[in-house]
Amino acid sequence: MRHWMVGLAAAFALAAPAAQAETFEFVALGDTAYNPSVDYPVYEALIGRINKAKPAFTIHVGDTWGALPCTEAQHRSILDWFAKYDHPVVYTPGDNEWADCRKADVLEAYSRYVSGKATPADLGLLMPLRGLDAGMSMAGFDDPIGSLGLIRKVFFSKPQSVGGRTMPLVRQPDVSTFKDTLENTRWEKGGVVFATISVPGSGNGFMIQSEARAAEAVARNRANVEWLKATFAEAKARDAKAVVVALQASMFTDGHGDEFSGKQLRGGNEGAFYFVALAIRDLSERFGKPVLVINGDFHDFIVDRPFMVSQGEVKPPRYANITRLQVHGAPELKAVKVGVDTDTPWVFSFSPLYN
């Protein structure tokens, strides 16, 4: 009798379900507060709504302002906004914070222009900036590379997130030979590996008419690709269930793609986003599990699979394991709550979050 009971207990133990994987939620948003007087009250209410949702963390994919001076004081004011979140915030910079930095008089004239209040003096300042000579000399820009340095100083001086409560992050310079890209970070939660890469929307920060800008973009792009390689290697080593990659740039347009991707890649295979997109595509295919790419830049909420390429009705499509979440943007200040459940084949679910 006793032996029969032991055997029965062992059978039940073998039949018991595996322990449930950790489920959690995080929030993604970007392109916030372009018109401070109008947007800041809405943004503050949105942060309150996000805090009530109690996410594990929030990812902000850049463009924390529209057309404002790229000063240290302005960057620190954004740090204060991030402190209003009562949980960790992981930030990856957008183009407005550095790549598109303009001089104060240009920004003031432009603000009046877009509001329909431009003066003749404003037009006299702005119109020549669209010409050949001004473009070649980068007239009107205000030290974009210097602003990128400020971002690294203000937001990434420590290996941790920002926000009212912080969490540890692995920074690329701490674990590699790439010593500049402090904003490239990585962390793990519930069997999912997360990473940010420094890819701003405006041509990936590349400017052909500036040796310094071109050199910066080449070095940063090389670091980005290596960080993607390291991230997927980490995911493989951990036997991760999924990978999330966050960046600012929207790398695709609405046009039909080709054998490279289902949607048209901005700039194609000669453009500034090609090697980042190629790395994401090929590393994801090799990984073989769900991959989520989060971006902002275009101010339009989209969930799709822009990499997916059909192989007809017999073979399954290629790159179908890559999902893209493009977040809302000003003037539509909304966030997206992302559910994570690694017990499901698709892992990720999405719901807009707003007041």
Side-chain angles (χ1 to χ4, degrees), residues 70 95-103 140-144 147:
C70 298
D95 47 25
N96 287 355
E97 293 97 291
W98 73 274
D100 293 344
C101 288
R102 299 301 201 278
K103 295 177 180 177
F141 280 88
D142 188 19
D143 193 14
S147 188

Side-chain angles (χ1 to χ4, degrees), residues 57 81 88 90 105 113 115 119 149 165 243 285 317 319 324 330 335 343:
F57 50 83
W81 274 98
V90 182
D105 58 344
Y113 175 76
S115 64
T119 67
R165 178 167 54 85
V243 168
E285 184 179 42
Y319 322 122
R324 187 264 297 258
D343 269 348

Side-chain angles (χ1 to χ4, degrees), residues 197-232:
I197 51 173
S198 186
V199 185
S202 292
N204 199 2
F206 179 76
M207 300 287 282
I208 197 171
Q209 65 271 46
S210 165
E211 291 85 351
R213 290 289 299 273
E216 185 284 324
V218 168
R220 180 172 40 78
N221 198 60
R222 184 175 291 117
N224 286 333
V225 170
E226 291 303 318
W227 194 232
L228 286 167
K229 291 180 181 179
T231 294
F232 279 91

Side-chain angles (χ1 to χ4, degrees), residues 4 110 218 302 331 344:
W4 178 80
Y110 178 73
V218 168
I302 296 173
T344 65

Side-chain angles (χ1 to χ4, degrees), residues 79-208:
L79 191 63
D80 292 339
W81 274 98
F82 285 151
K84 295 175 183 287
Y85 295 78
D86 64 6
H87 53 273
V89 177
V90 182
Y91 165 56
T92 186
D95 47 25
N96 287 355
E97 293 97 291
W98 73 274
D100 293 344
C101 288
R102 299 301 201 278
K103 295 177 180 177
D105 58 344
V106 173
L107 293 173
E108 292 168 5
Y110 178 73
S111 295
R112 288 189 290 269
Y113 175 76
V114 296
S115 64
K117 300 177 181 178
T119 67
D122 292 334
L123 297 177
L125 173 63
L126 295 173
M127 292 305 107
L129 295 179
R130 303 172 67 179
L132 174 63
D133 291 340
M136 289 301 296
S137 65
M138 296 187 64
F141 280 88
D142 188 19
D143 193 14
I145 295 177
S147 188
L148 179 57
L150 287 174
I151 289 170
R152 290 166 174 167
K153 170 186 174 183
V154 171
F155 298 98
F156 301 102
S157 62
K158 297 179 181 179
Q160 64 185 38
S161 70
V162 292
R165 178 167 54 85
T166 63
M167 68 179 180
L169 300 175
V170 177
R171 301 176 301 178
Q172 185 176 21
D174 296 333
V175 292
S176 78
T177 59
F178 294 91
K179 299 304 181 184
D180 293 328
T181 45
L182 289 166
E183 67 274 24
N184 283 355
T185 62
R186 187 173 67 228
W187 68 105
E188 187 271 344
K189 172 73 173 173
V192 179
V193 173
F194 294 78
T196 62
I197 51 173
S198 186
V199 185
S202 292
N204 199 2
F206 179 76
M207 300 287 282
I208 197 171

